[in-house]
Amino acid sequence: MRKPIIVGNWKMNKTIAEAVAFIRAVDPKVSESATWGVATPYLALEKSKAEAKNLIIAAENVHFKDSGAYTGEVSVEMLKEIGIEWVILGHSERRQYFGETDETVNAKTIQVLSHGLTPIVCVGETLDQFEAGITENVVREQTKAAFKDVHASCMERVVIAYEPVWAIGTGKTATNEIAQNVCAMIRDQVSQMFGQEVADKVRIQYGGSVKPEGLKALLEQPDIDGALVGGASLKEDSYVAMVENLG
Ligand code: PGA
């Protein structure tokens, strides 16, 4: 019912030339088994988008205002002008290093949805929070905050990425059981806010040290509809291995 969605998050990697070369090589190889995509640095978006026929191309961030005195920022209109329809919001690295808060993630989510783009909204607990056993509380609160005042009709197309911070770039993957439990809990939270029908349509990804060989089993979990993939999305052969693993 929910088509899987796998998106590579390139973070601050790849020049424009490298991005274009990757897309030329990988784009013809992605299959109908899922929605496949990559989130590229801003500078690579336009040429990546022009090159991609199958892959969706996402931005890694956007500002919550239309325009104005926000030095260094990029607006939704600027993304739309080059055909970008997808944006990652609230990645833990943005929260940790760039002052992103639940409030800014909420403002960005509303901005992106009201302009017709689709956000991939990231939530997830830190290692301290995981060890303190408060994952559920943290992730429910992040989800509640991110989608405050969002209209139910927009909510259906939202993608949520559950990324435990302790699993990002560390090689420590959450077990499929942990990932499933938290993703089910996120869906329950969406259901409490927007009703079961909407919750059944929202796609929920897991992210954090996802490897090609683990992808199929991960996606067999009933509430996991995809993956947000950092390191393993950077090399062409590793990306293609994910496509092949899913079959
Ligand atoms: P990773 O990154 O796959 O390298 O752990 C995931 C992410 O940050 O989205």
Side-chain angles (χ1 to χ4, degrees), residues 9 11 91 93 163 167-170 207-210 228-232:
N9 174 16
K11 312 190 180 186
H91 189 279
E93 287 149 16
E163 297 207 308
I168 296 177
T170 59
S209 297
V210 171
L228 189 57
V229 186

Side-chain angles (χ1 to χ4, degrees), residues 25-47:
V26 171
D27 192 77
K29 297 185 180 158
V30 302
S31 64
E32 289 289 313
S33 58
T35 306
W36 296 93
V38 286
T40 84
Y42 283 134
L43 285 176
L45 284 172
E46 186 173 6
K47 287 205 169 145

